[in-house]
PDB file of all heavy atoms in Angstrom:
ATOM      1  N   PRO A   1      60.800-168.769  22.667  1.00 89.00           N
ATOM      2  CA  PRO A   1      60.985-167.688  21.685  1.00 89.00           C
ATOM      3  C   PRO A   1      62.234-166.882  22.038  1.00 89.00           C
ATOM      4  O   PRO A   1      62.482-166.592  23.211  1.00 89.00           O
ATOM      5  CB  PRO A   1      59.712-166.860  21.842  1.00 89.00           C
ATOM      6  CG  PRO A   1      58.696-167.826  22.369  1.00 89.00           C
ATOM      7  CD  PRO A   1      59.470-168.743  23.277  1.00 89.00           C
ATOM      8  N   TYR A   2      63.010-166.533  21.026  1.00 89.00           N
ATOM      9  CA  TYR A   2      64.301-165.900  21.316  1.00 89.00           C
ATOM     10  C   TYR A   2      64.162-164.564  22.037  1.00 89.00           C
ATOM     11  O   TYR A   2      65.053-164.145  22.776  1.00 89.00           O
ATOM     12  CB  TYR A   2      65.126-165.739  20.036  1.00 89.00           C
ATOM     13  CG  TYR A   2      64.506-164.877  18.960  1.00 89.00           C
ATOM     14  CD1 TYR A   2      64.584-163.490  19.004  1.00 89.00           C
ATOM     15  CD2 TYR A   2      63.865-165.458  17.873  1.00 89.00           C
ATOM     16  CE1 TYR A   2      64.025-162.701  18.014  1.00 89.00           C
ATOM     17  CE2 TYR A   2      63.307-164.688  16.873  1.00 89.00           C
ATOM     18  CZ  TYR A   2      63.378-163.300  16.936  1.00 89.00           C
ATOM     19  OH  TYR A   2      62.836-162.518  15.950  1.00 89.00           O
ATOM     20  N   ASP A   3      63.000-163.890  21.860  1.00 89.00           N
ATOM     21  CA  ASP A   3      62.855-162.595  22.532  1.00 89.00           C
ATOM     22  C   ASP A   3      62.522-162.743  24.022  1.00 89.00           C
ATOM     23  O   ASP A   3      62.426-161.746  24.745  1.00 89.00           O
ATOM     24  CB  ASP A   3      61.800-161.738  21.837  1.00 89.00           C
ATOM     25  CG  ASP A   3      60.428-162.415  21.766  1.00 89.00           C
ATOM     26  OD1 ASP A   3      60.298-163.555  22.262  1.00 89.00           O
ATOM     27  OD2 ASP A   3      59.499-161.805  21.217  1.00 89.00           O
ATOM     28  N   LYS A   4      62.366-163.992  24.495  1.00 91.00           N
ATOM     29  CA  LYS A   4      62.109-164.225  25.925  1.00 91.00           C
ATOM     30  C   LYS A   4      63.355-164.742  26.653  1.00 91.00           C
ATOM     31  O   LYS A   4      63.326-164.904  27.872  1.00 91.00           O
ATOM     32  CB  LYS A   4      60.972-165.227  26.101  1.00 91.00           C
ATOM     33  CG  LYS A   4      59.610-164.706  25.653  1.00 91.00           C
ATOM     34  CD  LYS A   4      58.521-165.709  25.984  1.00 91.00           C
ATOM     35  CE  LYS A   4      57.140-165.169  25.603  1.00 91.00           C
ATOM     36  NZ  LYS A   4      56.068-166.133  25.957  1.00 91.00           N
ATOM     37  N   VAL A   5      64.420-165.025  25.903  1.00 93.00           N
ATOM     38  CA  VAL A   5      65.606-165.635  26.504  1.00 93.00           C
ATOM     39  C   VAL A   5      66.292-164.683  27.474  1.00 93.00           C
ATOM     40  O   VAL A   5      66.775-165.104  28.536  1.00 93.00           O
ATOM     41  CB  VAL A   5      66.590-166.103  25.413  1.00 93.00           C
ATOM     42  CG1 VAL A   5      67.866-166.661  26.043  1.00 93.00           C
ATOM     43  CG2 VAL A   5      65.932-167.162  24.530  1.00 93.00           C
ATOM     44  N   ALA A   6      66.335-163.397  27.161  1.00 92.00           N
ATOM     45  CA  ALA A   6      67.009-162.430  28.040  1.00 92.00           C
ATOM     46  C   ALA A   6      66.356-162.403  29.425  1.00 92.00           C
ATOM     47  O   ALA A   6      67.046-162.428  30.457  1.00 92.00           O
ATOM     48  CB  ALA A   6      66.977-161.037  27.409  1.00 92.00           C
ATOM     49  N   ALA A   7      65.025-162.376  29.472  1.00 92.00           N
ATOM     50  CA  ALA A   7      64.317-162.350  30.758  1.00 92.00           C
ATOM     51  C   ALA A   7      64.538-163.656  31.517  1.00 92.00           C
ATOM     52  O   ALA A   7      64.698-163.658  32.750  1.00 92.00           O
ATOM     53  CB  ALA A   7      62.826-162.117  30.522  1.00 92.00           C
ATOM     54  N   PHE A   8      64.572-164.764  30.780  1.00 93.00           N
ATOM     55  CA  PHE A   8      64.805-166.058  31.419  1.00 93.00           C
ATOM     56  C   PHE A   8      66.198-166.104  32.041  1.00 93.00           C
ATOM     57  O   PHE A   8      66.374-166.568  33.175  1.00 93.00           O
ATOM     58  CB  PHE A   8      64.653-167.186  30.389  1.00 93.00           C
ATOM     59  CG  PHE A   8      65.011-168.539  30.918  1.00 93.00           C
ATOM     60  CD1 PHE A   8      64.156-169.223  31.768  1.00 93.00           C
ATOM     61  CD2 PHE A   8      66.229-169.128  30.592  1.00 93.00           C
ATOM     62  CE1 PHE A   8      64.493-170.470  32.271  1.00 93.00           C
ATOM     63  CE2 PHE A   8      66.572-170.378  31.088  1.00 93.00           C
ATOM     64  CZ  PHE A   8      65.699-171.047  31.933  1.00 93.00           C
ATOM     65  N   LEU A   9      67.197-165.618  31.317  1.00 93.00           N
ATOM     66  CA  LEU A   9      68.568-165.610  31.850  1.00 93.00           C
ATOM     67  C   LEU A   9      68.674-164.744  33.100  1.00 93.00           C
ATOM     68  O   LEU A   9      69.430-165.055  34.029  1.00 93.00           O
ATOM     69  CB  LEU A   9      69.540-165.109  30.787  1.00 93.00           C
ATOM     70  CG  LEU A   9      70.143-166.156  29.849  1.00 93.00           C
ATOM     71  CD1 LEU A   9      71.094-165.495  28.876  1.00 93.00           C
ATOM     72  CD2 LEU A   9      70.878-167.228  30.634  1.00 93.00           C
ATOM     73  N   LYS A  10      67.928-163.653  33.124  1.00 93.00           N
ATOM     74  CA  LYS A  10      67.945-162.767  34.294  1.00 93.00           C
ATOM     75  C   LYS A  10      67.465-163.527  35.529  1.00 93.00           C
ATOM     76  O   LYS A  10      68.045-163.421  36.624  1.00 93.00           O
ATOM     77  CB  LYS A  10      67.055-161.553  34.032  1.00 93.00           C
ATOM     78  CG  LYS A  10      67.144-160.490  35.109  1.00 93.00           C
ATOM     79  CD  LYS A  10      66.326-159.261  34.734  1.00 93.00           C
ATOM     80  CE  LYS A  10      66.409-158.193  35.822  1.00 93.00           C
ATOM     81  NZ  LYS A  10      65.594-156.999  35.458  1.00 93.00           N
ATOM     82  N   GLU A  11      66.411-164.341  35.362  1.00 93.00           N
ATOM     83  CA  GLU A  11      65.910-165.165  36.466  1.00 93.00           C
ATOM     84  C   GLU A  11      66.921-166.257  36.820  1.00 93.00           C
ATOM     85  O   GLU A  11      67.131-166.574  37.991  1.00 93.00           O
ATOM     86  CB  GLU A  11      64.577-165.805  36.073  1.00 93.00           C
ATOM     87  CG  GLU A  11      63.397-164.862  36.068  1.00 93.00           C
ATOM     88  CD  GLU A  11      63.111-164.286  37.456  1.00 93.00           C
ATOM     89  OE1 GLU A  11      63.088-165.092  38.419  1.00 93.00           O
ATOM     90  OE2 GLU A  11      62.951-163.062  37.576  1.00 93.00           O
ATOM     91  N   LEU A  12      67.538-166.830  35.801  1.00 93.00           N
ATOM     92  CA  LEU A  12      68.481-167.927  36.005  1.00 93.00           C
ATOM     93  C   LEU A  12      69.687-167.483  36.830  1.00 93.00           C
ATOM     94  O   LEU A  12      70.237-168.261  37.616  1.00 93.00           O
ATOM     95  CB  LEU A  12      68.934-168.458  34.634  1.00 93.00           C
ATOM     96  CG  LEU A  12      69.674-169.793  34.594  1.00 93.00           C
ATOM     97  CD1 LEU A  12      68.817-170.915  35.160  1.00 93.00           C
ATOM     98  CD2 LEU A  12      70.091-170.110  33.164  1.00 93.00           C
ATOM     99  N   ARG A  13      70.084-166.218  36.667  1.00 92.00           N
ATOM    100  CA  ARG A  13      71.271-165.716  37.378  1.00 92.00           C
ATOM    101  C   ARG A  13      71.006-165.361  38.843  1.00 92.00           C
ATOM    102  O   ARG A  13      71.953-165.073  39.581  1.00 92.00           O
ATOM    103  CB  ARG A  13      71.826-164.482  36.653  1.00 92.00           C
ATOM    104  CG  ARG A  13      72.514-164.791  35.336  1.00 92.00           C
ATOM    105  CD  ARG A  13      73.308-163.576  34.838  1.00 92.00           C
ATOM    106  NE  ARG A  13      72.429-162.480  34.483  1.00 92.00           N
ATOM    107  CZ  ARG A  13      72.009-162.203  33.237  1.00 92.00           C
ATOM    108  NH1 ARG A  13      72.408-162.972  32.233  1.00 92.00           N
ATOM    109  NH2 ARG A  13      71.230-161.177  33.007  1.00 92.00           N
ATOM    110  N   LYS A  14      69.762-165.407  39.254  1.00 92.00           N
ATOM    111  CA  LYS A  14      69.440-164.998  40.623  1.00 92.00           C
ATOM    112  C   LYS A  14      69.984-165.979  41.658  1.00 92.00           C
ATOM    113  O   LYS A  14      70.177-165.613  42.817  1.00 92.00           O
ATOM    114  CB  LYS A  14      67.919-164.864  40.778  1.00 92.00           C
ATOM    115  CG  LYS A  14      67.364-163.624  40.094  1.00 92.00           C
ATOM    116  CD  LYS A  14      65.873-163.470  40.339  1.00 92.00           C
ATOM    117  CE  LYS A  14      65.347-162.190  39.721  1.00 92.00           C
ATOM    118  NZ  LYS A  14      63.876-162.026  39.936  1.00 92.00           N
ATOM    119  N   ARG A  15      70.183-167.220  41.266  1.00 92.00           N
ATOM    120  CA  ARG A  15      70.769-168.220  42.157  1.00 92.00           C
ATOM    121  C   ARG A  15      71.916-168.898  41.434  1.00 92.00           C
ATOM    122  O   ARG A  15      72.010-168.842  40.213  1.00 92.00           O
ATOM    123  CB  ARG A  15      69.720-169.250  42.575  1.00 92.00           C
ATOM    124  CG  ARG A  15      68.650-168.679  43.504  1.00 92.00           C
ATOM    125  CD  ARG A  15      67.498-169.642  43.680  1.00 92.00           C
ATOM    126  NE  ARG A  15      67.940-170.961  44.121  1.00 92.00           N
ATOM    127  CZ  ARG A  15      67.171-172.049  44.075  1.00 92.00           C
ATOM    128  NH1 ARG A  15      65.945-171.975  43.603  1.00 92.00           N
ATOM    129  NH2 ARG A  15      67.632-173.203  44.494  1.00 92.00           N
ATOM    130  N   GLU A  16      72.785-169.550  42.232  1.00 92.00           N
ATOM    131  CA  GLU A  16      73.951-170.180  41.611  1.00 92.00           C
ATOM    132  C   GLU A  16      74.038-171.650  42.007  1.00 92.00           C
ATOM    133  O   GLU A  16      73.886-172.016  43.175  1.00 92.00           O
ATOM    134  CB  GLU A  16      75.236-169.463  42.035  1.00 92.00           C
ATOM    135  CG  GLU A  16      76.472-170.009  41.330  1.00 92.00           C
ATOM    136  CD  GLU A  16      77.729-169.242  41.718  1.00 92.00           C
ATOM    137  OE1 GLU A  16      78.301-169.559  42.792  1.00 92.00           O
ATOM    138  OE2 GLU A  16      78.128-168.341  40.969  1.00 92.00           O
ATOM    139  N   SER A  17      74.276-172.474  41.015  1.00 92.00           N
ATOM    140  CA  SER A  17      74.533-173.899  41.207  1.00 92.00           C
ATOM    141  C   SER A  17      75.220-174.375  39.935  1.00 92.00           C
ATOM    142  O   SER A  17      75.221-173.684  38.915  1.00 92.00           O
ATOM    143  CB  SER A  17      73.231-174.683  41.431  1.00 92.00           C
ATOM    144  OG  SER A  17      72.421-174.638  40.263  1.00 92.00           O
ATOM    145  N   PHE A  18      75.788-175.564  39.971  1.00 92.00           N
ATOM    146  CA  PHE A  18      76.430-176.075  38.767  1.00 92.00           C
ATOM    147  C   PHE A  18      75.417-176.264  37.637  1.00 92.00           C
ATOM    148  O   PHE A  18      75.726-176.038  36.472  1.00 92.00           O
ATOM    149  CB  PHE A  18      77.147-177.395  39.057  1.00 92.00           C
ATOM    150  CG  PHE A  18      78.532-177.214  39.620  1.00 92.00           C
ATOM    151  CD1 PHE A  18      78.885-177.741  40.851  1.00 92.00           C
ATOM    152  CD2 PHE A  18      79.496-176.505  38.905  1.00 92.00           C
ATOM    153  CE1 PHE A  18      80.164-177.572  41.369  1.00 92.00           C
ATOM    154  CE2 PHE A  18      80.780-176.330  39.408  1.00 92.00           C
ATOM    155  CZ  PHE A  18      81.113-176.864  40.647  1.00 92.00           C
ATOM    156  N   SER A  19      74.187-176.670  37.991  1.00 92.00           N
ATOM    157  CA  SER A  19      73.178-176.867  36.950  1.00 92.00           C
ATOM    158  C   SER A  19      72.806-175.538  36.296  1.00 92.00           C
ATOM    159  O   SER A  19      72.645-175.457  35.068  1.00 92.00           O
ATOM    160  CB  SER A  19      71.938-177.542  37.531  1.00 92.00           C
ATOM    161  OG  SER A  19      71.355-176.764  38.555  1.00 92.00           O
ATOM    162  N   ARG A  20      72.694-174.467  37.097  1.00 94.00           N
ATOM    163  CA  ARG A  20      72.351-173.154  36.534  1.00 94.00           C
ATOM    164  C   ARG A  20      73.512-172.597  35.708  1.00 94.00           C
ATOM    165  O   ARG A  20      73.292-171.987  34.651  1.00 94.00           O
ATOM    166  CB  ARG A  20      71.973-172.184  37.654  1.00 94.00           C
ATOM    167  CG  ARG A  20      70.599-172.479  38.248  1.00 94.00           C
ATOM    168  CD  ARG A  20      70.269-171.612  39.433  1.00 94.00           C
ATOM    169  NE  ARG A  20      68.928-171.881  39.909  1.00 94.00           N
ATOM    170  CZ  ARG A  20      67.863-171.081  39.738  1.00 94.00           C
ATOM    171  NH1 ARG A  20      68.017-169.925  39.092  1.00 94.00           N
ATOM    172  NH2 ARG A  20      66.681-171.409  40.195  1.00 94.00           N
ATOM    173  N   LEU A  21      74.716-172.800  36.175  1.00 94.00           N
ATOM    174  CA  LEU A  21      75.874-172.346  35.407  1.00 94.00           C
ATOM    175  C   LEU A  21      75.964-173.114  34.080  1.00 94.00           C
ATOM    176  O   LEU A  21      76.260-172.532  33.031  1.00 94.00           O
ATOM    177  CB  LEU A  21      77.154-172.556  36.212  1.00 94.00           C
ATOM    178  CG  LEU A  21      77.355-171.624  37.413  1.00 94.00           C
ATOM    179  CD1 LEU A  21      78.499-172.127  38.297  1.00 94.00           C
ATOM    180  CD2 LEU A  21      77.636-170.187  36.954  1.00 94.00           C
ATOM    181  N   ALA A  22      75.679-174.411  34.133  1.00 94.00           N
ATOM    182  CA  ALA A  22      75.733-175.235  32.919  1.00 94.00           C
ATOM    183  C   ALA A  22      74.669-174.795  31.917  1.00 94.00           C
ATOM    184  O   ALA A  22      74.933-174.722  30.709  1.00 94.00           O
ATOM    185  CB  ALA A  22      75.547-176.703  33.274  1.00 94.00           C
ATOM    186  N   LEU A  23      73.460-174.498  32.401  1.00 94.00           N
ATOM    187  CA  LEU A  23      72.396-174.073  31.503  1.00 94.00           C
ATOM    188  C   LEU A  23      72.719-172.718  30.869  1.00 94.00           C
ATOM    189  O   LEU A  23      72.507-172.517  29.668  1.00 94.00           O
ATOM    190  CB  LEU A  23      71.064-174.014  32.252  1.00 94.00           C
ATOM    191  CG  LEU A  23      69.838-173.659  31.418  1.00 94.00           C
ATOM    192  CD1 LEU A  23      69.711-174.570  30.197  1.00 94.00           C
ATOM    193  CD2 LEU A  23      68.569-173.740  32.267  1.00 94.00           C
ATOM    194  N   ARG A  24      73.238-171.802  31.661  1.00 95.00           N
ATOM    195  CA  ARG A  24      73.644-170.499  31.108  1.00 95.00           C
ATOM    196  C   ARG A  24      74.717-170.682  30.034  1.00 95.00           C
ATOM    197  O   ARG A  24      74.670-170.059  28.963  1.00 95.00           O
ATOM    198  CB  ARG A  24      74.169-169.603  32.229  1.00 95.00           C
ATOM    199  CG  ARG A  24      73.079-169.021  33.140  1.00 95.00           C
ATOM    200  CD  ARG A  24      73.663-168.378  34.389  1.00 95.00           C
ATOM    201  NE  ARG A  24      74.679-167.360  34.070  1.00 95.00           N
ATOM    202  CZ  ARG A  24      75.515-166.833  34.966  1.00 95.00           C
ATOM    203  NH1 ARG A  24      75.468-167.250  36.228  1.00 95.00           N
ATOM    204  NH2 ARG A  24      76.375-165.915  34.602  1.00 95.00           N
ATOM    205  N   PHE A  25      75.669-171.559  30.312  1.00 94.00           N
ATOM    206  CA  PHE A  25      76.754-171.809  29.361  1.00 94.00           C
ATOM    207  C   PHE A  25      76.201-172.435  28.069  1.00 94.00           C
ATOM    208  O   PHE A  25      76.622-172.075  26.965  1.00 94.00           O
ATOM    209  CB  PHE A  25      77.788-172.741  30.000  1.00 94.00           C
ATOM    210  CG  PHE A  25      79.052-172.894  29.207  1.00 94.00           C
ATOM    211  CD1 PHE A  25      79.968-171.853  29.116  1.00 94.00           C
ATOM    212  CD2 PHE A  25      79.337-174.089  28.556  1.00 94.00           C
ATOM    213  CE1 PHE A  25      81.144-172.003  28.386  1.00 94.00           C
ATOM    214  CE2 PHE A  25      80.503-174.254  27.831  1.00 94.00           C
ATOM    215  CZ  PHE A  25      81.413-173.206  27.738  1.00 94.00           C
ATOM    216  N   ALA A  26      75.243-173.341  28.204  1.00 94.00           N
ATOM    217  CA  ALA A  26      74.637-173.975  27.031  1.00 94.00           C
ATOM    218  C   ALA A  26      73.918-172.951  26.165  1.00 94.00           C
ATOM    219  O   ALA A  26      73.998-172.991  24.927  1.00 94.00           O
ATOM    220  CB  ALA A  26      73.666-175.073  27.480  1.00 94.00           C
ATOM    221  N   ILE A  27      73.216-172.040  26.806  1.00 95.00           N
ATOM    222  CA  ILE A  27      72.488-171.015  26.050  1.00 95.00           C
ATOM    223  C   ILE A  27      73.455-170.084  25.331  1.00 95.00           C
ATOM    224  O   ILE A  27      73.265-169.745  24.159  1.00 95.00           O
ATOM    225  CB  ILE A  27      71.562-170.219  26.996  1.00 95.00           C
ATOM    226  CG1 ILE A  27      70.482-171.146  27.575  1.00 95.00           C
ATOM    227  CG2 ILE A  27      70.927-169.042  26.261  1.00 95.00           C
ATOM    228  CD1 ILE A  27      69.676-170.513  28.695  1.00 95.00           C
ATOM    229  N   LEU A  28      74.509-169.681  26.017  1.00 95.00           N
ATOM    230  CA  LEU A  28      75.485-168.752  25.424  1.00 95.00           C
ATOM    231  C   LEU A  28      76.252-169.373  24.263  1.00 95.00           C
ATOM    232  O   LEU A  28      76.642-168.678  23.319  1.00 95.00           O
ATOM    233  CB  LEU A  28      76.470-168.290  26.500  1.00 95.00           C
ATOM    234  CG  LEU A  28      75.942-167.249  27.489  1.00 95.00           C
ATOM    235  CD1 LEU A  28      76.819-167.193  28.726  1.00 95.00           C
ATOM    236  CD2 LEU A  28      75.869-165.874  26.813  1.00 95.00           C
ATOM    237  N   THR A  29      76.490-170.669  24.320  1.00 95.00           N
ATOM    238  CA  THR A  29      77.290-171.332  23.279  1.00 95.00           C
ATOM    239  C   THR A  29      76.438-172.047  22.238  1.00 95.00           C
ATOM    240  O   THR A  29      76.969-172.522  21.228  1.00 95.00           O
ATOM    241  CB  THR A  29      78.234-172.371  23.913  1.00 95.00           C
ATOM    242  OG1 THR A  29      77.460-173.326  24.666  1.00 95.00           O
ATOM    243  CG2 THR A  29      79.250-171.693  24.825  1.00 95.00           C
ATOM    244  N   ALA A  30      75.120-172.133  22.468  1.00 93.00           N
ATOM    245  CA  ALA A  30      74.210-172.862  21.577  1.00 93.00           C
ATOM    246  C   ALA A  30      74.649-174.314  21.411  1.00 93.00           C
ATOM    247  O   ALA A  30      74.479-174.922  20.358  1.00 93.00           O
ATOM    248  CB  ALA A  30      74.108-172.177  20.206  1.00 93.00           C
TER     249      ALA A  30
END
């Protein structure tokens, strides 16, 4: 659900890897 994406991204940013950066980029660009 789109209203849960912000909280998910907050968790996603807690660690860094190419896979996490790629997923964040995919979400931001749709």
Side-chain angles (χ1 to χ4, degrees):
Y2 61 81
D3 57 0
K4 292 185 177 181
V5 176
F8 174 76
L9 271 181
K10 187 175 180 181
E11 286 297 313
L12 193 60
R13 288 193 293 263
K14 286 184 177 179
R15 291 169 54 195
E16 185 177 82
S17 65
F18 276 121
S19 60
R20 286 175 177 254
L21 289 168
L23 183 53
R24 285 168 54 193
F25 189 71
I27 296 170
L28 284 162
T29 57

